[in-house]
Amino acid sequence: RKEVEQDPGPFNVPEGATVAFNCTYSNSASQSFFWYRQDCRKEPKLLMSVYSSGNEDGRFTAQLNRASQYISLLIRDSKLSDSATYLCVVNGDTGRRALTFGSGTRLQVQP
Amino acid sequence: DVKVTQSSRYLVKRTGEKVFLECVQDMDHENMFWYRQDPGLGLRLIYFSYDVKMKEKGDIPEGYSVSREKKERFSLILESASTNQTSMYLCASRTGTASYEQYFGPGTRLTVT
């Protein structure tokens, strides 16, 4: 089983739609959680950290469910510029300095 | 602004060649990482370094080695390139613990023929 699993998509949605991605992780000792965004042929960049209480950044909302070991990302009022691959990222445990990346979920927002 | 640079955007090498990929960061970050990214497999960690001359194996270290002689520079070495090492290679750096943002370089697309 992969450490971090995501639905690869693609999710094709019209502009203005609300779309949600989920991600599951296998290591219950994971401490840090993130969503990264990767545009086509570009490097990943941090979109937002995910906090236990949930957090929002404009149109983006991230939530963490430790009991079920999943993380979600909700995008409201989708824009064409939101088209990208969204990577779910966790750190495995406190002793491991490196992050583990999911394979990503591709979002295509259509006009 | 944090900047992570990689020596080449595109590289073509022959099977059996020794290949050096260089990465430099300008933010005095302690931690540096090398990943490869392949369709359907996502980013996989090859090696990382948390200090000068220190290194740890990631998930797929076989066929690779690394060098960190200076804090700002982390090199990935393919001792004898093989066709299955054709991939996108991404370098990253980060300060402190895993709760901090990780910054990536633009990537090197390596093709081994």
Side-chain angles (χ1 to χ4, degrees):
Chain A
R1 184 187 169 188
K2 287 185 182 178
E3 280 194 61
V4 180
E5 296 212 51
Q6 296 182 251
D7 181 342
F11 283 58
N12 295 303
V13 302
E15 270 187 290
T18 295
V19 61
F21 310 135
N22 285 334
C23 157
T24 58
Y25 61 95
S26 60
N27 190 336
S28 59
S30 296
Q31 297 291 317
S32 303
F33 308 89
F34 311 88
W35 284 100
Y36 276 66
R37 170 191 168 129
Q38 186 172 23
D39 293 307
C40 189
R41 301 186 192 283
K42 298 280 191 180
E43 71 273 19
K45 292 186 179 178
L46 179 67
L47 176 67
M48 58 197 303
S49 301
V50 185
Y51 302 120
S52 297
S53 54
N55 48 298
E56 194 173 300
D57 183 1
R59 297 180 294 109
F60 298 83
T61 301
Q63 293 202 309
L64 169 64
N65 185 319
R66 284 190 185 273
S68 301
Q69 293 180 211
Y70 80 78
I71 305 154
S72 65
L73 177 68
L74 182 78
I75 306 175
R76 289 182 299 279
D77 189 24
S78 300
K79 312 289 185 194
L80 294 176
S81 57
D82 294 334
S83 297
T85 297
Y86 291 84
L87 306 173
C88 175
V89 185
V90 307
N91 84 310
D93 55 59
T94 54
R96 182 180 165 103
R97 298 168 188 259
L99 299 173
T100 301
F101 286 74
S103 301
T105 298
R106 193 155 67 90
L107 172 66
Q108 186 67 47
V109 181
Q110 294 163 338
Chain B
D1 243 11
V2 175
K3 197 155 187 187
V4 181
T5 56
Q6 295 183 227
S7 50
S8 307
R9 290 302 302 271
Y10 299 94
L11 211 51
V12 180
K13 295 291 181 180
R14 293 196 181 277
T15 301
E17 278 193 82
K18 191 167 186 174
V19 182
F20 293 87
L21 302 182
E22 304 283 337
C23 174
V24 178
Q25 51 92 5
D26 65 359
M27 284 301 291
D28 203 35
H29 286 170
E30 301 88 352
N31 304 291
M32 297 188 73
F33 309 85
W34 275 107
Y35 296 86
R36 62 177 282 178
Q37 186 172 32
D38 301 288
L41 297 176
L43 278 89
R44 292 180 291 167
L45 181 67
I46 304 171
Y47 266 98
F48 66 100
S49 168
Y50 52 90
D51 202 352
V52 175
K53 296 193 188 294
M54 305 302 286
K55 60 187 179 186
E56 282 195 29
K57 292 180 180 179
D59 300 316
I60 51 162
E62 296 79 19
Y64 303 95
S65 61
V66 290
S67 172
R68 191 157 180 212
E69 297 296 319
K70 293 185 178 181
K71 192 174 186 180
E72 68 271 17
R73 188 179 297 268
F74 191 35
S75 303
L76 180 70
I77 302 149
L78 285 67
E79 296 291 342
S80 177
S82 62
T83 54
N84 62 14
Q85 292 178 309
T86 292
S87 186
M88 171 66 81
Y89 289 87
L90 287 155
C91 174
S93 74
R94 191 190 73 223
T95 190
T97 68
S99 60
Y100 289 87
E101 180 174 356
Q102 196 156 294
Y103 296 87
F104 285 84
T108 296
R109 167 70 63 185
L110 172 68
T111 302
V112 183
T113 60

PDB file of all heavy atoms in Angstrom, chain A residues 73-104:
ATOM      1  N   LEU A  73      -9.000  18.776   0.256  1.00  0.00           N
ATOM      2  CA  LEU A  73      -8.822  20.135  -0.270  1.00  0.00           C
ATOM      3  C   LEU A  73     -10.089  20.493  -1.036  1.00  0.00           C
ATOM      4  O   LEU A  73     -10.506  19.752  -1.922  1.00  0.00           O
ATOM      5  CB  LEU A  73      -7.617  20.211  -1.204  1.00  0.00           C
ATOM      6  CG  LEU A  73      -7.378  21.570  -1.861  1.00  0.00           C
ATOM      7  CD1 LEU A  73      -6.950  22.600  -0.827  1.00  0.00           C
ATOM      8  CD2 LEU A  73      -6.312  21.465  -2.954  1.00  0.00           C
ATOM      9  N   LEU A  74     -10.680  21.610  -0.671  1.00  0.00           N
ATOM     10  CA  LEU A  74     -11.887  22.090  -1.329  1.00  0.00           C
ATOM     11  C   LEU A  74     -11.558  23.388  -2.040  1.00  0.00           C
ATOM     12  O   LEU A  74     -10.967  24.295  -1.441  1.00  0.00           O
ATOM     13  CB  LEU A  74     -12.988  22.339  -0.285  1.00  0.00           C
ATOM     14  CG  LEU A  74     -14.334  22.800  -0.814  1.00  0.00           C
ATOM     15  CD1 LEU A  74     -15.101  21.618  -1.376  1.00  0.00           C
ATOM     16  CD2 LEU A  74     -15.151  23.483   0.281  1.00  0.00           C
ATOM     17  N   ILE A  75     -11.922  23.460  -3.301  1.00  0.00           N
ATOM     18  CA  ILE A  75     -11.711  24.694  -4.075  1.00  0.00           C
ATOM     19  C   ILE A  75     -13.085  25.202  -4.488  1.00  0.00           C
ATOM     20  O   ILE A  75     -13.850  24.514  -5.161  1.00  0.00           O
ATOM     21  CB  ILE A  75     -10.849  24.442  -5.332  1.00  0.00           C
ATOM     22  CG1 ILE A  75      -9.530  23.772  -4.961  1.00  0.00           C
ATOM     23  CG2 ILE A  75     -10.609  25.755  -6.068  1.00  0.00           C
ATOM     24  CD1 ILE A  75      -8.680  23.371  -6.157  1.00  0.00           C
ATOM     25  N   ARG A  76     -13.371  26.411  -4.063  1.00  0.00           N
ATOM     26  CA  ARG A  76     -14.657  27.037  -4.422  1.00  0.00           C
ATOM     27  C   ARG A  76     -14.459  27.984  -5.588  1.00  0.00           C
ATOM     28  O   ARG A  76     -13.367  28.543  -5.780  1.00  0.00           O
ATOM     29  CB  ARG A  76     -15.206  27.813  -3.230  1.00  0.00           C
ATOM     30  CG  ARG A  76     -15.715  26.953  -2.091  1.00  0.00           C
ATOM     31  CD  ARG A  76     -16.283  27.837  -0.970  1.00  0.00           C
ATOM     32  NE  ARG A  76     -15.260  28.726  -0.423  1.00  0.00           N
ATOM     33  CZ  ARG A  76     -14.373  28.345   0.479  1.00  0.00           C
ATOM     34  NH1 ARG A  76     -14.371  27.124   0.946  1.00  0.00           N
ATOM     35  NH2 ARG A  76     -13.480  29.219   0.927  1.00  0.00           N
ATOM     36  N   ASP A  77     -15.553  28.194  -6.351  1.00  0.00           N
ATOM     37  CA  ASP A  77     -15.516  29.156  -7.447  1.00  0.00           C
ATOM     38  C   ASP A  77     -14.275  28.958  -8.321  1.00  0.00           C
ATOM     39  O   ASP A  77     -13.450  29.875  -8.493  1.00  0.00           O
ATOM     40  CB  ASP A  77     -15.553  30.585  -6.869  1.00  0.00           C
ATOM     41  CG  ASP A  77     -15.726  31.648  -7.935  1.00  0.00           C
ATOM     42  OD1 ASP A  77     -16.256  31.311  -9.018  1.00  0.00           O
ATOM     43  OD2 ASP A  77     -15.319  32.811  -7.694  1.00  0.00           O
ATOM     44  N   SER A  78     -14.130  27.781  -8.865  1.00  0.00           N
ATOM     45  CA  SER A  78     -12.935  27.421  -9.645  1.00  0.00           C
ATOM     46  C   SER A  78     -12.645  28.411 -10.767  1.00  0.00           C
ATOM     47  O   SER A  78     -13.557  28.878 -11.457  1.00  0.00           O
ATOM     48  CB  SER A  78     -13.119  26.027 -10.264  1.00  0.00           C
ATOM     49  OG  SER A  78     -13.317  25.059  -9.286  1.00  0.00           O
ATOM     50  N   LYS A  79     -11.370  28.697 -10.935  1.00  0.00           N
ATOM     51  CA  LYS A  79     -10.893  29.572 -12.015  1.00  0.00           C
ATOM     52  C   LYS A  79     -10.103  28.735 -13.014  1.00  0.00           C
ATOM     53  O   LYS A  79      -9.555  27.687 -12.654  1.00  0.00           O
ATOM     54  CB  LYS A  79      -9.971  30.664 -11.459  1.00  0.00           C
ATOM     55  CG  LYS A  79     -10.488  31.400 -10.246  1.00  0.00           C
ATOM     56  CD  LYS A  79     -11.621  32.307 -10.593  1.00  0.00           C
ATOM     57  CE  LYS A  79     -12.052  33.129  -9.363  1.00  0.00           C
ATOM     58  NZ  LYS A  79     -13.357  33.781  -9.567  1.00  0.00           N
ATOM     59  N   LEU A  80     -10.002  29.239 -14.226  1.00  0.00           N
ATOM     60  CA  LEU A  80      -9.187  28.540 -15.230  1.00  0.00           C
ATOM     61  C   LEU A  80      -7.765  28.356 -14.718  1.00  0.00           C
ATOM     62  O   LEU A  80      -7.116  27.332 -14.976  1.00  0.00           O
ATOM     63  CB  LEU A  80      -9.166  29.326 -16.543  1.00  0.00           C
ATOM     64  CG  LEU A  80     -10.479  29.438 -17.293  1.00  0.00           C
ATOM     65  CD1 LEU A  80     -10.314  30.333 -18.522  1.00  0.00           C
ATOM     66  CD2 LEU A  80     -11.004  28.069 -17.701  1.00  0.00           C
ATOM     67  N   SER A  81      -7.272  29.342 -13.981  1.00  0.00           N
ATOM     68  CA  SER A  81      -5.900  29.306 -13.470  1.00  0.00           C
ATOM     69  C   SER A  81      -5.694  28.271 -12.371  1.00  0.00           C
ATOM     70  O   SER A  81      -4.552  28.026 -11.961  1.00  0.00           O
ATOM     71  CB  SER A  81      -5.496  30.686 -12.947  1.00  0.00           C
ATOM     72  OG  SER A  81      -6.388  31.117 -11.946  1.00  0.00           O
ATOM     73  N   ASP A  82      -6.779  27.660 -11.884  1.00  0.00           N
ATOM     74  CA  ASP A  82      -6.636  26.595 -10.886  1.00  0.00           C
ATOM     75  C   ASP A  82      -6.243  25.274 -11.539  1.00  0.00           C
ATOM     76  O   ASP A  82      -5.923  24.309 -10.844  1.00  0.00           O
ATOM     77  CB  ASP A  82      -7.947  26.384 -10.117  1.00  0.00           C
ATOM     78  CG  ASP A  82      -8.311  27.585  -9.258  1.00  0.00           C
ATOM     79  OD1 ASP A  82      -7.398  28.335  -8.851  1.00  0.00           O
ATOM     80  OD2 ASP A  82      -9.519  27.770  -8.993  1.00  0.00           O
ATOM     81  N   SER A  83      -6.287  25.195 -12.847  1.00  0.00           N
ATOM     82  CA  SER A  83      -5.918  23.966 -13.551  1.00  0.00           C
ATOM     83  C   SER A  83      -4.470  23.630 -13.247  1.00  0.00           C
ATOM     84  O   SER A  83      -3.561  24.419 -13.528  1.00  0.00           O
ATOM     85  CB  SER A  83      -6.111  24.133 -15.065  1.00  0.00           C
ATOM     86  OG  SER A  83      -7.463  24.370 -15.378  1.00  0.00           O
ATOM     87  N   ALA A  84      -4.273  22.457 -12.665  1.00  0.00           N
ATOM     88  CA  ALA A  84      -2.940  22.038 -12.214  1.00  0.00           C
ATOM     89  C   ALA A  84      -3.073  20.649 -11.613  1.00  0.00           C
ATOM     90  O   ALA A  84      -4.166  20.090 -11.554  1.00  0.00           O
ATOM     91  CB  ALA A  84      -2.401  23.013 -11.167  1.00  0.00           C
ATOM     92  N   THR A  85      -1.958  20.118 -11.158  1.00  0.00           N
ATOM     93  CA  THR A  85      -1.968  18.875 -10.384  1.00  0.00           C
ATOM     94  C   THR A  85      -1.756  19.231  -8.922  1.00  0.00           C
ATOM     95  O   THR A  85      -0.860  20.017  -8.592  1.00  0.00           O
ATOM     96  CB  THR A  85      -0.871  17.912 -10.876  1.00  0.00           C
ATOM     97  OG1 THR A  85      -1.154  17.547 -12.233  1.00  0.00           O
ATOM     98  CG2 THR A  85      -0.836  16.655 -10.017  1.00  0.00           C
ATOM     99  N   TYR A  86      -2.583  18.668  -8.058  1.00  0.00           N
ATOM    100  CA  TYR A  86      -2.522  18.965  -6.628  1.00  0.00           C
ATOM    101  C   TYR A  86      -1.945  17.748  -5.897  1.00  0.00           C
ATOM    102  O   TYR A  86      -2.477  16.638  -5.986  1.00  0.00           O
ATOM    103  CB  TYR A  86      -3.923  19.331  -6.114  1.00  0.00           C
ATOM    104  CG  TYR A  86      -4.354  20.660  -6.679  1.00  0.00           C
ATOM    105  CD1 TYR A  86      -4.941  20.734  -7.934  1.00  0.00           C
ATOM    106  CD2 TYR A  86      -4.124  21.842  -5.980  1.00  0.00           C
ATOM    107  CE1 TYR A  86      -5.303  21.959  -8.490  1.00  0.00           C
ATOM    108  CE2 TYR A  86      -4.475  23.069  -6.526  1.00  0.00           C
ATOM    109  CZ  TYR A  86      -5.058  23.115  -7.779  1.00  0.00           C
ATOM    110  OH  TYR A  86      -5.400  24.336  -8.338  1.00  0.00           O
ATOM    111  N   LEU A  87      -0.852  17.997  -5.208  1.00  0.00           N
ATOM    112  CA  LEU A  87      -0.114  16.932  -4.536  1.00  0.00           C
ATOM    113  C   LEU A  87      -0.395  16.961  -3.041  1.00  0.00           C
ATOM    114  O   LEU A  87      -0.243  18.002  -2.391  1.00  0.00           O
ATOM    115  CB  LEU A  87       1.391  17.108  -4.762  1.00  0.00           C
ATOM    116  CG  LEU A  87       1.860  17.226  -6.210  1.00  0.00           C
ATOM    117  CD1 LEU A  87       3.350  17.558  -6.252  1.00  0.00           C
ATOM    118  CD2 LEU A  87       1.601  15.940  -6.956  1.00  0.00           C
ATOM    119  N   CYS A  88      -0.782  15.835  -2.520  1.00  0.00           N
ATOM    120  CA  CYS A  88      -0.978  15.676  -1.084  1.00  0.00           C
ATOM    121  C   CYS A  88       0.365  15.241  -0.482  1.00  0.00           C
ATOM    122  O   CYS A  88       1.029  14.341  -1.026  1.00  0.00           O
ATOM    123  CB  CYS A  88      -2.035  14.607  -0.864  1.00  0.00           C
ATOM    124  SG  CYS A  88      -2.337  14.161   0.835  1.00  0.00           S
ATOM    125  N   VAL A  89       0.766  15.888   0.596  1.00  0.00           N
ATOM    126  CA  VAL A  89       2.109  15.667   1.131  1.00  0.00           C
ATOM    127  C   VAL A  89       2.046  15.483   2.638  1.00  0.00           C
ATOM    128  O   VAL A  89       1.380  16.258   3.329  1.00  0.00           O
ATOM    129  CB  VAL A  89       3.024  16.864   0.801  1.00  0.00           C
ATOM    130  CG1 VAL A  89       4.457  16.595   1.236  1.00  0.00           C
ATOM    131  CG2 VAL A  89       2.961  17.197  -0.687  1.00  0.00           C
ATOM    132  N   VAL A  90       2.734  14.470   3.144  1.00  0.00           N
ATOM    133  CA  VAL A  90       2.803  14.264   4.589  1.00  0.00           C
ATOM    134  C   VAL A  90       4.253  13.967   4.970  1.00  0.00           C
ATOM    135  O   VAL A  90       5.047  13.533   4.131  1.00  0.00           O
ATOM    136  CB  VAL A  90       1.891  13.105   5.062  1.00  0.00           C
ATOM    137  CG1 VAL A  90       0.487  13.287   4.582  1.00  0.00           C
ATOM    138  CG2 VAL A  90       2.440  11.775   4.637  1.00  0.00           C
ATOM    139  N   ASN A  91       4.579  14.184   6.221  1.00  0.00           N
ATOM    140  CA  ASN A  91       5.863  13.640   6.691  1.00  0.00           C
ATOM    141  C   ASN A  91       5.540  12.390   7.484  1.00  0.00           C
ATOM    142  O   ASN A  91       4.564  12.334   8.223  1.00  0.00           O
ATOM    143  CB  ASN A  91       6.669  14.651   7.480  1.00  0.00           C
ATOM    144  CG  ASN A  91       6.267  14.713   8.927  1.00  0.00           C
ATOM    145  OD1 ASN A  91       5.086  14.833   9.216  1.00  0.00           O
ATOM    146  ND2 ASN A  91       7.214  14.622   9.824  1.00  0.00           N
ATOM    147  N   GLY A  92       6.347  11.360   7.270  1.00  0.00           N
ATOM    148  CA  GLY A  92       6.005  10.035   7.766  1.00  0.00           C
ATOM    149  C   GLY A  92       5.978   9.939   9.281  1.00  0.00           C
ATOM    150  O   GLY A  92       5.062   9.405   9.862  1.00  0.00           O
ATOM    151  N   ASP A  93       7.003  10.441   9.919  1.00  0.00           N
ATOM    152  CA  ASP A  93       7.049  10.400  11.376  1.00  0.00           C
ATOM    153  C   ASP A  93       8.053  11.434  11.866  1.00  0.00           C
ATOM    154  O   ASP A  93       8.766  12.020  11.070  1.00  0.00           O
ATOM    155  CB  ASP A  93       7.419   8.997  11.891  1.00  0.00           C
ATOM    156  CG  ASP A  93       8.717   8.496  11.299  1.00  0.00           C
ATOM    157  OD1 ASP A  93       9.762   9.181  11.487  1.00  0.00           O
ATOM    158  OD2 ASP A  93       8.705   7.458  10.638  1.00  0.00           O
ATOM    159  N   THR A  94       8.121  11.619  13.142  1.00  0.00           N
ATOM    160  CA  THR A  94       8.939  12.705  13.665  1.00  0.00           C
ATOM    161  C   THR A  94      10.416  12.501  13.396  1.00  0.00           C
ATOM    162  O   THR A  94      11.192  13.437  13.375  1.00  0.00           O
ATOM    163  CB  THR A  94       8.738  12.867  15.188  1.00  0.00           C
ATOM    164  OG1 THR A  94       8.976  11.601  15.795  1.00  0.00           O
ATOM    165  CG2 THR A  94       7.343  13.332  15.508  1.00  0.00           C
ATOM    166  N   GLY A  95      10.810  11.250  13.201  1.00  0.00           N
ATOM    167  CA  GLY A  95      12.226  10.999  12.988  1.00  0.00           C
ATOM    168  C   GLY A  95      12.664  11.177  11.547  1.00  0.00           C
ATOM    169  O   GLY A  95      13.850  11.212  11.248  1.00  0.00           O
ATOM    170  N   ARG A  96      11.734  11.315  10.663  1.00  0.00           N
ATOM    171  CA  ARG A  96      12.069  11.394   9.239  1.00  0.00           C
ATOM    172  C   ARG A  96      11.961  12.845   8.776  1.00  0.00           C
ATOM    173  O   ARG A  96      10.937  13.487   8.934  1.00  0.00           O
ATOM    174  CB  ARG A  96      11.101  10.531   8.441  1.00  0.00           C
ATOM    175  CG  ARG A  96      11.389  10.511   6.948  1.00  0.00           C
ATOM    176  CD  ARG A  96      10.391   9.630   6.240  1.00  0.00           C
ATOM    177  NE  ARG A  96      10.396   9.849   4.813  1.00  0.00           N
ATOM    178  CZ  ARG A  96      10.968   9.040   3.925  1.00  0.00           C
ATOM    179  NH1 ARG A  96      11.588   7.961   4.341  1.00  0.00           N
ATOM    180  NH2 ARG A  96      10.914   9.301   2.648  1.00  0.00           N
ATOM    181  N   ARG A  97      13.041  13.309   8.229  1.00  0.00           N
ATOM    182  CA  ARG A  97      13.059  14.715   7.836  1.00  0.00           C
ATOM    183  C   ARG A  97      12.418  14.943   6.485  1.00  0.00           C
ATOM    184  O   ARG A  97      12.133  16.060   6.114  1.00  0.00           O
ATOM    185  CB  ARG A  97      14.507  15.207   7.797  1.00  0.00           C
ATOM    186  CG  ARG A  97      15.208  15.133   9.137  1.00  0.00           C
ATOM    187  CD  ARG A  97      16.693  15.355   8.984  1.00  0.00           C
ATOM    188  NE  ARG A  97      17.409  15.115  10.208  1.00  0.00           N
ATOM    189  CZ  ARG A  97      17.819  16.075  11.018  1.00  0.00           C
ATOM    190  NH1 ARG A  97      17.575  17.318  10.733  1.00  0.00           N
ATOM    191  NH2 ARG A  97      18.476  15.770  12.125  1.00  0.00           N
ATOM    192  N   ALA A  98      12.253  13.901   5.730  1.00  0.00           N
ATOM    193  CA  ALA A  98      11.783  14.072   4.355  1.00  0.00           C
ATOM    194  C   ALA A  98      10.268  13.904   4.285  1.00  0.00           C
ATOM    195  O   ALA A  98       9.668  13.180   5.070  1.00  0.00           O
ATOM    196  CB  ALA A  98      12.465  13.076   3.431  1.00  0.00           C
ATOM    197  N   LEU A  99       9.676  14.571   3.329  1.00  0.00           N
ATOM    198  CA  LEU A  99       8.245  14.487   3.092  1.00  0.00           C
ATOM    199  C   LEU A  99       7.929  13.371   2.105  1.00  0.00           C
ATOM    200  O   LEU A  99       8.764  12.995   1.291  1.00  0.00           O
ATOM    201  CB  LEU A  99       7.751  15.812   2.512  1.00  0.00           C
ATOM    202  CG  LEU A  99       7.958  17.047   3.396  1.00  0.00           C
ATOM    203  CD1 LEU A  99       7.578  18.313   2.641  1.00  0.00           C
ATOM    204  CD2 LEU A  99       7.156  16.926   4.682  1.00  0.00           C
ATOM    205  N   THR A 100       6.723  12.844   2.218  1.00  0.00           N
ATOM    206  CA  THR A 100       6.243  11.845   1.263  1.00  0.00           C
ATOM    207  C   THR A 100       5.138  12.467   0.426  1.00  0.00           C
ATOM    208  O   THR A 100       4.166  13.014   0.974  1.00  0.00           O
ATOM    209  CB  THR A 100       5.722  10.596   1.985  1.00  0.00           C
ATOM    210  OG1 THR A 100       6.784  10.047   2.766  1.00  0.00           O
ATOM    211  CG2 THR A 100       5.253   9.558   0.975  1.00  0.00           C
ATOM    212  N   PHE A 101       5.294  12.385  -0.890  1.00  0.00           N
ATOM    213  CA  PHE A 101       4.347  13.020  -1.807  1.00  0.00           C
ATOM    214  C   PHE A 101       3.405  11.986  -2.403  1.00  0.00           C
ATOM    215  O   PHE A 101       3.826  10.895  -2.795  1.00  0.00           O
ATOM    216  CB  PHE A 101       5.113  13.695  -2.947  1.00  0.00           C
ATOM    217  CG  PHE A 101       5.815  14.958  -2.544  1.00  0.00           C
ATOM    218  CD1 PHE A 101       6.970  14.918  -1.787  1.00  0.00           C
ATOM    219  CD2 PHE A 101       5.317  16.191  -2.920  1.00  0.00           C
ATOM    220  CE1 PHE A 101       7.618  16.073  -1.402  1.00  0.00           C
ATOM    221  CE2 PHE A 101       5.957  17.367  -2.549  1.00  0.00           C
ATOM    222  CZ  PHE A 101       7.105  17.303  -1.784  1.00  0.00           C
ATOM    223  N   GLY A 102       2.135  12.355  -2.497  1.00  0.00           N
ATOM    224  CA  GLY A 102       1.207  11.567  -3.285  1.00  0.00           C
ATOM    225  C   GLY A 102       1.487  11.777  -4.765  1.00  0.00           C
ATOM    226  O   GLY A 102       2.243  12.680  -5.147  1.00  0.00           O
ATOM    227  N   SER A 103       0.871  10.940  -5.589  1.00  0.00           N
ATOM    228  CA  SER A 103       1.101  11.036  -7.038  1.00  0.00           C
ATOM    229  C   SER A 103       0.374  12.211  -7.677  1.00  0.00           C
ATOM    230  O   SER A 103       0.641  12.547  -8.825  1.00  0.00           O
ATOM    231  CB  SER A 103       0.654   9.744  -7.730  1.00  0.00           C
ATOM    232  OG  SER A 103       1.364   8.643  -7.205  1.00  0.00           O
ATOM    233  N   GLY A 104      -0.561  12.800  -6.944  1.00  0.00           N
ATOM    234  CA  GLY A 104      -1.227  13.987  -7.447  1.00  0.00           C
ATOM    235  C   GLY A 104      -2.592  13.719  -8.056  1.00  0.00           C
ATOM    236  O   GLY A 104      -2.866  12.625  -8.560  1.00  0.00           O
TER     237      GLY A 104
END
